[in-house]
Amino acid sequence: MNETGTVIVGIDVGGTNIEVGAVDDTNQVLARAKAPTPETGPDDVLGVILDLVHSLDSSPTAVGLGIPGVVHDGKALTVPNLVGWTDEVDLISPLSDALGVPVTLGNDANVGLLGEWTAGAARGGRNVLGLWMGTGVGGGLILDGRPYTGSRGAAGEIGHVVVMAGGALCSCGRRGCAEAYAGRRSMRGVATSMAEAGWETSLFDIRDAEEKTKLTSKVWSKALEKDDPLATKLFDTAVEMLGVALGSTVNLLDLDRVVVGGGLAEKLGQDLADRLHTAAKDWMLRPSPELTFTVSELGDDAGVIGAAALARATSITA
Ligand SMILES: [Zn+2]
């Protein structure tokens, strides 16, 4: 391995996959491994994480971990997007005991933005929102040149900004959140109901041809490419509703950059960022010529590089 200085292992636990990478001082990913996220609770997730880290065959000085939940004071308070995680879980002790190095924990969306801010599309940004379009819709913030996680680690939840009072039911149990229109889990639910009600769509044929069980980003992007009427309608609504949330967020925070990531962003590229920018402008009080919307540069690596950057920053300040 041609590594520079110390190596830190970054771990990105998503609703679908767990990705790990050995990251060097220059934010290069030297080795990677990936496995499906177990749906059988925290113990099995920990087991998969350890197997993946061992498979990298690196000797990290620290480990950073991003998880899809609220993280405060080093603890995972809630992890709504992982099956079987109902109670507060201590991930740090078992991992640091097993690996013999310090472990730092963060929220996946914040960690993803930290990756883009350290080595990708958010570099140099002073007031940045990271918008992650996946199973749900996640968000992270850089404010005044520093990562911002709020009073109890729960800031940045752009997916749960209400865009329609009394609107569609969201996975959080409330109504009218942006995620209820733009999260893949919600979009799949609506697509299924609309197809049953007689809407023509190739979404489910594409899913079967791809041998997937869910409507993945790839399935959506293929359907959109073919101008599938149902996919186009649902995607237009997703962009419109995210536009409301983004425009309002820009009004509140006077951002200079929005970075769009997640599976759909990887498939659709800068075109998706441009469409969101156009949709958001309709709701902006003072559209700024300096505000840019950019698609993620690091793709799948954002979480891994960000988790490593989080661990590195913690080890420097500790
Ligand atoms: Zn919600």
Side-chain angles (χ1 to χ4, degrees), residues 160 170 172 174 177:
H160 301 283
C170 181
C172 71
R174 302 179 311 137
C177 299

Side-chain angles (χ1 to χ4, degrees), residues 9 30 50 67 75 77 83 87 117 137 155 186 191 196 241-242 264 275 282 285 299:
V9 166
L30 306 170
L50 286 173
I67 58 154
K75 289 206 176 75
L77 299 187
V83 181
D87 302 320
W117 193 54
V137 175
S186 302
E196 281 167 7
M241 293 305 194
L242 283 174
L264 269 176
R275 284 194 60 183
D282 286 346
L285 191 59

Side-chain angles (χ1 to χ4, degrees), residues 49-206:
I49 289 174
L50 286 173
D51 287 347
L52 288 171
V53 172
H54 288 136
S55 78
L56 294 178
D57 199 22
S58 63
S59 306
T61 54
V63 167
L65 172 66
I67 58 154
V70 174
V71 174
H72 188 51
D73 278 345
K75 289 206 176 75
L77 299 187
T78 59
V79 192
N81 285 329
L82 293 186
V83 181
W85 289 52
T86 43
D87 302 320
E88 188 176 307
V89 176
D90 175 16
L91 284 166
I92 293 186
S93 310
L95 279 179
S96 57
D97 287 352
L99 298 169
V101 293
V103 175
T104 311
L105 187 64
N107 164 270
D108 63 344
N110 292 329
V111 158
L113 178 58
L114 189 59
E116 293 290 341
W117 193 54
T118 307
R123 227 174 351 212
R126 187 156 181 82
N127 295 296
V128 188
L129 172 76
L131 170 78
W132 309 113
M133 294 177 71
T135 314
V137 175
L141 287 165
I142 305 287
L143 292 181
D144 227 359
R146 304 181 55 156
Y148 178 84
T149 57
S151 314
R152 38 184 197 105
E157 292 285 4
I158 182 114
H160 301 283
V161 167
V162 174
V163 292
M164 175 83 74
L169 188 63
C170 181
S171 62
C172 71
R174 302 179 311 137
R175 289 194 171 271
C177 299
E179 179 172 309
Y181 301 94
R184 273 208 317 272
R185 188 195 293 116
S186 302
M187 290 170 75
R188 180 183 55 180
V190 180
T192 306
S193 316
M194 287 176 76
E196 281 167 7
W199 274 75
E200 257 183 54
T201 181
S202 56
L203 271 168
F204 300 96
D205 292 338
I206 298 171

Side-chain angles (χ1 to χ4, degrees), residues 116 119-123 132 257 259-261 266 294-302:
E116 293 290 341
R123 227 174 351 212
W132 309 113
R257 203 174 307 179
V259 175
V260 184
E266 255 174 76
T294 315
V295 79
S296 148
E297 278 176 21
L298 303 177
D300 263 359
D301 281 346

Side-chain angles (χ1 to χ4, degrees), residues 276-300:
L276 289 169
H277 194 175
T278 304
K281 266 188 192 158
D282 286 346
W283 308 98
M284 284 182 207
L285 191 59
R286 298 181 192 88
S288 157
E290 278 90 48
L291 172 65
T292 55
F293 276 57
T294 315
V295 79
S296 148
E297 278 176 21
L298 303 177
D300 263 359

